């Protein structure tokens, strides 16, 4: 079993958008799951980046700073371990982690901002027939204990395909610490196949942006009998209890409203972003 221990931690303000530093009067800090904030390739757009740019353009006196991008469990540990990064808003890749933090570390209730989907992906081989342990000697997955997409892959591999749990001890599986590193392993060719977030291989609503892919929905209705693959990936956010000015609270609430605006006509920026990256609308 190969375990990659490095994690994505981006402590920068990645997205300046249209806001001028001279005009900016308030700032909020965000930590987000890697599928929503890590670029597939350096310089590529990301869902969160698109949203921050549009939000700041519409609100020149606001800035939003991405302070951490990685596995949901890692982000949660930073918050519960003292929140040294001053996170105001936590965007997870599941609903259970924000729910578990709400009573002790949150303000208000968690909210669902996107619905994710698992994809089986390769840069070099046609995977349209789906996963098979007899075909692929190794498959890359994100760490099921910290990454929700890894947990979904674990459910799929052990439930549908009969791989022995835990995957950390299974010789057919290579585990990476978050979904971005899983994607990068397949993207670089060091892994032939892997389970990634559909959003990572989607551009302008079309997938795959490169290579070959097969989408695995939570419930597969294309076969009979219907097959349950994994629990739905409802990605939820939570306002984090943290010292803020009233102006920062106002900005935080405005950004949350932006992320939960599912207006179809005219189409909101959030709907546009979700569709562009192949997310489902909550």
């Amino acid at each position: 079993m190969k375990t990659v221990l490095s994690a994505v931690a981006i402590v920068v303000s990645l997205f300046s958008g249209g806001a001028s530093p001279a005009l900016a009067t308030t700032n909020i800090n965000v930590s987000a799951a890697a599928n929503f904030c890590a670029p597939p390739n350096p310089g590529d757009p990301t869902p969160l980046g698109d949203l921050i740019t549009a939000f700041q353009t519409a609100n020149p006196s606001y800035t939003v700073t991405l302070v951490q991008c990685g596995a949901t469990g890692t982000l949660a540990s930073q918050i519960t371990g003292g929140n040294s990064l001053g996170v105001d808003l936590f965007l997870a890749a599941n609903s259970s982690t924000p729910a578990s933090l709400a009573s002790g570390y949150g303000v208000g209730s968690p909210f669902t901002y996107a619905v994710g989907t698992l994809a089986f992906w390769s840069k070099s081989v046609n995977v349209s027939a789906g996963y098979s342990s007899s075909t692929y000697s190794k498959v890359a997955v994100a760490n099921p204990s910290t990454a929700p997409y890894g947990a979904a892959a674990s459910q799929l591999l052990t439930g549908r395909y009969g791989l022995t749990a835990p995957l950390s001890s299974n010789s057919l599986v290579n585990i990476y610490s978050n979904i971005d590193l899983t994607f990068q392993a397949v993207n670089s060719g060091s892994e032939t196949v892997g389970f990634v977030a559909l959003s990572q291989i989607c551009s302008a609503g079309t997938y795959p942006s490169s290579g070959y892919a097969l989408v695995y929905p939570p419930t597969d209705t294309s076969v009979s009998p219907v097959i349950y693959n994994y629990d739905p990936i409802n990605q939820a956010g939570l306002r984090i209890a943290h010292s803020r000015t009233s102006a920062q609270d106002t900005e935080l609430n405005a950004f949350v409203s932006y992320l939960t605006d599912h207006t179809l006509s005219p189409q909101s920026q959030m709907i546009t972003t979700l569709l562009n990256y192949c997310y489902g609308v909550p």
Side-chain angles (χ1 to χ4, degrees):
M1 165 59 59
K2 179 177 77 174
T3 302
V4 176
L5 298 177
S6 60
V8 174
I10 303 174
V11 189
V12 293
S13 178
L14 285 177
F15 310 106
S16 60
S20 165
L23 296 175
T25 58
T26 59
N27 175 76
I28 57 170
N29 294 332
V30 178
S31 66
N35 70 92
F36 209 63
C37 60
N41 300 290
D44 282 355
T46 67
L48 183 58
D50 288 357
L51 289 164
I52 290 176
T53 296
F55 178 74
Q56 292 180 161
T57 298
N59 301 275
S61 64
Y62 290 157
T63 60
V64 178
T65 301
L66 175 65
V67 295
Q68 192 173 25
C69 179
T72 290
T74 302
L75 305 181
S77 294
Q78 192 284 138
I79 293 169
T80 59
N83 195 13
S84 61
L85 298 179
V87 171
D88 298 296
L89 180 62
F90 171 39
L91 298 177
N94 62 8
S95 57
S96 59
T97 302
S100 70
L101 296 181
S103 61
Y105 300 91
V107 176
S109 300
F111 58 91
T112 302
Y113 65 93
V115 179
T117 305
L118 195 65
F120 186 48
W121 182 56
S122 175
K123 284 293 289 291
S124 58
V125 299
N126 190 330
V127 297
S128 60
Y131 174 77
S132 169
S133 59
S134 61
T135 302
Y136 304 106
S137 60
K138 295 286 185 180
V139 60
V141 302
N143 189 342
S145 65
T146 57
Y149 282 86
S154 179
Q155 286 183 290
L156 174 68
L157 289 171
T158 58
R160 180 167 180 169
Y161 293 109
L163 268 63
T164 302
L167 295 187
S168 58
S169 301
N170 196 304
S171 62
L172 294 170
V173 182
N174 284 340
I175 292 181
Y176 293 80
S177 60
N178 60 57
I179 198 65
D180 177 55
L181 292 181
T182 308
F183 171 88
Q184 295 302 338
V186 181
N187 194 42
S188 68
S190 62
E191 299 282 359
T192 303
V193 295
F195 284 97
V196 300
L198 177 58
S199 59
Q200 294 174 296
I201 57 171
C202 176
S203 178
T206 301
Y207 69 90
S209 48
S210 65
Y212 307 86
L214 177 67
V215 170
Y216 278 93
T219 302
D220 190 349
T221 58
S222 68
V223 295
S224 182
V226 170
I227 296 177
Y228 162 77
N229 287 324
Y230 55 88
D231 296 334
I233 305 175
N234 296 315
Q235 300 195 191
L238 179 69
R239 299 171 179 86
I240 299 301
H242 174 62
S243 179
R244 283 184 291 272
T245 66
S246 59
Q248 286 175 311
D249 272 328
T250 299
E251 178 185 351
L252 176 58
N253 290 333
F255 191 54
V256 170
S257 295
Y258 204 75
L259 297 178
T260 54
D261 181 0
H262 299 139
T263 304
L264 294 175
S265 182
Q267 188 168 290
S268 69
Q269 180 61 45
M270 189 60 183
I271 290 291
T272 297
T273 301
L274 293 176
L275 297 180
N276 278 347
Y277 291 91
C278 295
Y279 284 104
V281 178

